[in-house]
């Protein structure tokens, strides 16, 4: 059997080596603490589950859902955008439901990137932007996210010949994995650049609501002119602890939306309407669970950041996401540091280079692990540093 060539184009899954080590240690009975994957440890809030419990009995929901999402869900997303960002969206043609934002990333790429086209991809980044580009036959062009630039891409460094040939640009703020945030001025620069070169621009805003200390992250769509060229992808996964439910949305320019919709109608058949109904409750119902989530993550963040500082790591408390992006100590690479932590402390972190070559020299800690396990990880790390 010979698999398609595109499968050979995607980079090897770097965490696989670490996963193998975890499996070996667990087999030996070692208690491994994982600060790896970003998946909230808390269950989905009760108010959302209660709506789902009822919705599942609705016979109309047992049939094929609307491709673009139920109008009720799309209205709830539009309402949220107006309330939160003062951005007005037409739920009829500027909002679309997604089966998780990951799906949106891949299908958006298929909608805009042809064989040989460039896509501008941040590095380090959530790996899906690059793999989707490669699957579509496109060429990923790296926009380095450097610490000295607050992990924002520098558009003046992008080769103009490439910019002219680029079809799509991905951004992600608040950022996974660096936990950096972007202000409105940066989004203005991004829109200006994208308009100059006629590039579709997409901000993956999966962490828009995972923010701390009163910080509110802006929307790319709140920038003037963004409606001509931009979309934003959102997700219920992280703020409402619904990673297993698979519900997100795309919002923004209606022509981009139409193109994405044409791919989606040929690939999937929409998300289960009962799940969309539960998502409406998440977006428009009481927001106490979100406040609770923020306060839990704030406490974990502070605990981890102060411990890392005591151990001599050069870190500061992030304003967004539930990650801590820290430089590895002198003498280590991302990989050798992560492997050493697994071997000596049975603590798992993700090596920065798993997110791209510019992630080298860093490691990522996820705070989506119960408090006592984070304390245990700190205790074990302090025995080394
Ligand atoms: C978790 C995550 C996603 C995926 O979210 P889903 O809506 O669950 O598919 C997308 N982008 C980034 C940056 C993420 O960290």
């Amino acid at each position: 059997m010979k698999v398609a060539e595109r499968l050979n184009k995607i980079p090897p899954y770097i965490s696989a080596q670490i996963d193998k080590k975890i499996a070996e240690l667990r087999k030996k009975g070692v208690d491994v603490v994982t600060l790896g994957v970003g998946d909230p440890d808390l269950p989905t809030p009760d108010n959302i589950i209660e709506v789902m419990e009822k919705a599942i009995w609705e016979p109309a929901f047992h049939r094929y859902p609307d491709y673009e999402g139920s109008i009720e869900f799309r209205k709830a997303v539009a309402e949220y955008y107006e309330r939160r960002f003062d951005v007005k969206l037409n739920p009829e043609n500027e909002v679309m439901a997604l089966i998780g934002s990951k799906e949106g990333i891949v299908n958006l790429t298929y909608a805009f990137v042809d064989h040989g086209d460039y896509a501008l991809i941040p590095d380090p980044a959530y790996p899906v932007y690059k793999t989707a580009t490669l699957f579509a036959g496109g060429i990923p062009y790296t926009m380095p996210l450097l610490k000295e630039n607050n992990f924002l891409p520098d558009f003046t460094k992008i080769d103009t010949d490439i910019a002219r040939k680029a079809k799509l640009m991905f951004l992600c703020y608040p950022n996974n994995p660096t936990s950096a945030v972007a202000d409105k001025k940066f989004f203005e620069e991004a829109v200006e650049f994208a308009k100059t070169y006629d590039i579709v621009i997409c901000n993956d805003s999966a962490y828009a609501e995972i923010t701390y200390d009163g910080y509110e992250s802006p929307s790319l769509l709140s920038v003037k002119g963004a409606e001509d060229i931009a979309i934003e992808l959102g997700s219920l996964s992280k703020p409402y602890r619904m990673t297993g439910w698979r519900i997100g949305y795309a919002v923004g320019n209606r022509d981009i939306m139409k193109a994405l919709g044409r791919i989606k109608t040929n690939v999937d058949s929409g998300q289960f309407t009962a799940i969309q109904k539960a998502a409406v409750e998440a977006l428009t119902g009481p927001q106490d669970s979100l406040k609770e989530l923020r306060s839990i993550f704030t406490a974990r963040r502070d605990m981890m950041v102060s411990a890392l500082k005591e151990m001599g790591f050069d870190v500061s408390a992030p304003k967004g996401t539930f990650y801590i992006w820290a430089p590895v100590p002198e003498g280590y690479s991302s990989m050798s540091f992560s492997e050493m932590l697994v071997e000596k402390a049975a603590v798992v972190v993700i090596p920065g280079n798993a997110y791209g070559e510019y992630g080298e020299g860093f490691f990522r800690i996820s705070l989506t692990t119960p408090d006592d396990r984070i304390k245990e990880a700190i205790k074990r790390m302090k025995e080394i540093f």
Side-chain angles (χ1 to χ4, degrees):
M1 195 192 300
K2 190 174 175 302
V3 299
E5 205 41 54
R6 72 175 61 82
L7 288 186
N8 299 325
K9 282 195 222 157
I10 54 174
Y13 189 56
I14 209 157
S15 314
Q17 286 177 57
I18 296 216
D19 286 347
K20 220 172 112 193
K21 212 157 244 166
I22 298 171
E24 272 170 30
L25 286 169
R26 287 211 164 125
K27 224 166 130 189
K28 280 192 231 154
V30 177
D31 173 32
V32 183
V33 184
T34 61
L35 306 174
V37 62
D39 186 354
D41 52 305
L42 305 141
T44 304
D46 290 355
N47 64 314
I48 299 169
I49 293 175
E50 280 158 16
V51 170
M52 181 68 181
E53 262 178 328
K54 287 203 194 83
I56 204 163
W57 289 103
E58 173 55 54
F61 294 171
H62 301 166
R63 314 192 64 193
Y64 280 121
D66 293 330
Y67 283 110
E68 65 276 17
S70 72
I71 190 65
E72 192 192 359
F73 174 72
R74 287 180 286 145
K75 278 183 177 162
V77 173
E79 230 180 273
Y80 159 71
Y81 258 73
E82 178 148 24
R83 162 165 49 94
R84 172 69 169 78
F85 303 111
D86 202 20
V87 169
K88 284 195 177 58
L89 296 167
N90 183 345
E92 297 282 352
N93 53 18
E94 294 175 326
V95 182
M96 190 179 292
L98 298 174
I99 307 174
S101 55
K102 189 181 199 177
E103 176 258 290
I105 294 166
V106 176
N107 286 323
L108 177 72
T109 307
Y110 274 108
F112 285 94
V113 177
D114 273 320
H115 232 270
D117 285 342
Y118 282 90
L120 308 180
I121 315 282
D123 180 334
Y126 184 61
V128 184
Y129 317 132
K130 187 174 180 179
T131 49
T133 301
L134 292 170
F135 279 162
I139 308 166
Y141 178 85
T142 297
M143 300 189 292
L145 304 187
L146 307 175
K147 191 175 179 185
E148 59 263 33
N149 208 17
N150 300 316
F151 301 109
L152 298 168
D154 181 350
F155 300 123
T156 65
K157 295 265 163 70
I158 295 171
D159 186 323
T160 51
D161 285 338
I162 305 269
R164 265 182 226 113
K165 286 186 254 173
K167 294 293 187 60
L168 179 62
M169 176 201 287
F170 281 105
L171 296 173
C172 172
Y173 292 99
N175 186 262
N176 175 14
T178 68
S179 70
V181 294
D183 59 13
K184 210 168 150 182
K185 192 174 143 281
F186 169 76
F187 282 149
E188 282 165 2
E189 281 170 30
V191 167
E192 195 188 311
F193 178 85
K195 283 191 136 181
T196 304
Y197 294 101
D198 193 23
I199 297 167
V200 166
I201 174 172
C202 172
N203 184 44
D204 175 354
S205 72
Y207 297 90
E209 299 304 332
I210 314 287
T211 54
Y212 311 108
D213 310 329
Y215 171 77
E216 291 191 345
S217 79
S219 164
L220 173 63
L221 300 183
S222 67
V223 168
K224 205 166 151 264
E227 66 274 14
D228 300 330
I229 199 105
I231 71 163
E232 204 152 53
L233 302 180
S235 175
L236 285 278
S237 289
K238 314 284 165 56
Y240 300 106
R241 322 162 189 171
M242 294 173 76
T243 51
W245 296 60
R246 313 310 305 135
I247 181 78
Y249 49 83
V251 289
N253 176 274
R254 60 190 66 178
D255 295 325
I256 301 176
M257 224 45 101
K258 207 187 272 172
L260 172 61
R262 280 177 66 190
I263 298 284
K264 277 177 62 59
T265 48
N266 287 287
V267 171
D268 66 61
S269 301
Q271 181 52 287
F272 184 24
T273 314
I275 288 177
Q276 297 184 58
K277 183 99 187 159
V280 169
E281 169 65 16
L283 289 169
T284 60
Q287 300 296 304
D288 310 279
S289 67
L290 189 52
K291 285 192 197 118
E292 180 198 34
L293 185 81
R294 286 184 184 134
S295 83
I296 290 169
F297 284 144
T298 302
R300 289 180 187 172
R301 175 198 69 165
D302 293 346
M303 181 161 71
M304 184 53 91
V305 166
S306 66
L308 287 170
K309 279 183 178 164
E310 281 169 35
M311 289 182 254
F313 289 91
D314 177 19
V315 288
S316 51
K319 284 189 196 152
T321 78
F322 38 58
Y323 304 115
I324 293 168
W325 184 247
V328 298
E330 280 275 321
Y332 287 101
S333 67
S334 291
M335 203 64 198
S336 69
F337 176 75
S338 307
E339 283 179 342
M340 181 279 291
L341 264 193
V342 172
E343 267 163 32
K344 290 205 176 146
V347 170
V348 177
V349 299
I350 310 246
N353 61 324
Y355 302 96
E357 58 175 311
Y358 289 90
E360 180 53 53
F362 292 86
F363 64 100
R364 194 195 77 174
I365 282 177
S366 173
L367 300 169
T368 53
T369 296
D371 295 15
D372 59 329
R373 300 302 284 165
I374 291 181
K375 281 185 191 138
E376 177 64 25
I378 289 171
K379 193 180 122 221
R380 294 185 197 177
M381 286 171 78
K382 280 192 170 167
E383 282 162 19
I384 307 173
F385 297 104

